[in-house]
Amino acid sequence: MATEYSGRGDPARSMALLWGTQKPPTRGPKPGLSVERIVRAAIELADGSGLAALTMRRVADRLGVGAMSLYTYVPGKAELLDVMLDTVLGELAAPDGGAEGWRAKLELSAREHWALYHRHPWVLQVSGARALLGPNETAQFEATLRAVSGVGLTGKEMVLVVSLVTGYVRGAAQGAVEAADAARHTGVTDEQWWAAHEPVFDRYFDPGRYPTLTSLELEGAFRQPEGGLDYNLQNAVDSFEFGLQRVLDGVEAFIDQQAARPDQA
């Protein structure tokens, strides 16, 4: 899966589109066409087929216009991708508005991002290495930082705590989305895959060489998890739930440790 990068277009044009300061065209071949309609069509296309399918021509076909019509509103695919990303980030609830206490707020933020990645899995194909600097991303970052303000952390520590949680969620979601897509892309369910591979693997597996794996198998650690999803997807969901709480436990322990610093006394 190829990785895309945000911010590759013209900075001035992208920022004008993101922040809504671009002047509307004075003339155009298609009345009623707008940046918002173009972006929504592009998001629907990416949701259904991934970023590999995203081209200006295919977006135009979806809208029933010529490809050149889009360039009156959006300079190109790079700028379009920036606005698509910030638009879907606008779906996130502000974590500091619907929960009490920093932990509940961070957990809400984590679950909002988890759901977003599953609604729009193509977002995971865009590198998070560089900030988008759009209004929705900025507002979400501001709200998440507020969730951990006033708990005894320095400014840098607040940023690192937020990055820890969001980074964990993105990584966990990547595994879950891949697990969800495996059957669709290969045409083979997890159950079918195991049924075909397990008998072959058993001929190579030596319990004496792998005593820990053997004991865990006997204990039932690899049994089909409850939940009704395919094996790998259910494991990914369970791993997210387990890991999220352990990450928050670690943050809580860190906050308690920082509160005991001499300079906080």
Side-chain angles (χ1 to χ4, degrees), residues 83-107:
V83 186
M84 289 168 60
L85 277 168
D86 200 65
T87 298
V88 298
L89 289 174
E91 299 172 10
L92 296 171
D96 61 341
E100 292 294 331
W102 70 263
R103 179 163 180 146
K105 291 173 182 179
L106 283 187
E107 182 170 345

Side-chain angles (χ1 to χ4, degrees), residues 1-152:
M1 178 174 10
T3 300
E4 292 277 357
Y5 288 85
S6 61
R8 296 180 64 181
D10 178 86
R13 300 292 298 276
S14 282
M15 294 299 277
L17 285 168
L18 284 166
W19 291 88
T21 61
Q22 175 173 278
K23 295 180 180 179
T26 55
R27 58 189 178 84
K30 181 70 175 181
L33 199 60
S34 66
V35 172
E36 183 178 0
R37 282 193 63 204
I38 293 168
V39 171
R40 287 296 173 191
I43 290 171
E44 291 171 5
L45 179 60
D47 285 348
S49 304
L51 285 187
L54 182 67
T55 65
M56 298 294 276
R57 180 170 297 280
R58 291 194 66 179
V59 173
D61 289 345
R62 195 175 191 89
L63 290 167
V65 300
M68 294 306 296
S69 302
L70 304 189
Y71 293 101
T72 305
Y73 299 85
V74 181
K77 179 180 173 181
E79 292 84 1
L80 175 60
L81 181 60
D82 286 351
V83 186
M84 289 168 60
L85 277 168
D86 200 65
T87 298
V88 298
L89 289 174
E91 299 172 10
L92 296 171
D96 61 341
E100 292 294 331
W102 70 263
R103 179 163 180 146
K105 291 173 182 179
L106 283 187
E107 182 170 345
L108 173 61
S109 176
R111 295 190 183 283
E112 285 282 316
H113 279 83
W114 170 264
L116 178 79
Y117 291 135
H118 286 274
R119 287 196 303 273
H120 307 292
W122 55 270
V123 173
L124 293 167
Q125 295 175 247
V126 185
S127 170
R130 291 175 175 170
L132 184 62
L133 303 179
N136 290 323
E137 181 193 59
T138 304
Q140 184 64 207
F141 190 39
E142 161 75 15
T144 312
L145 287 171
R146 279 201 306 268
V148 292
S149 65
V151 298

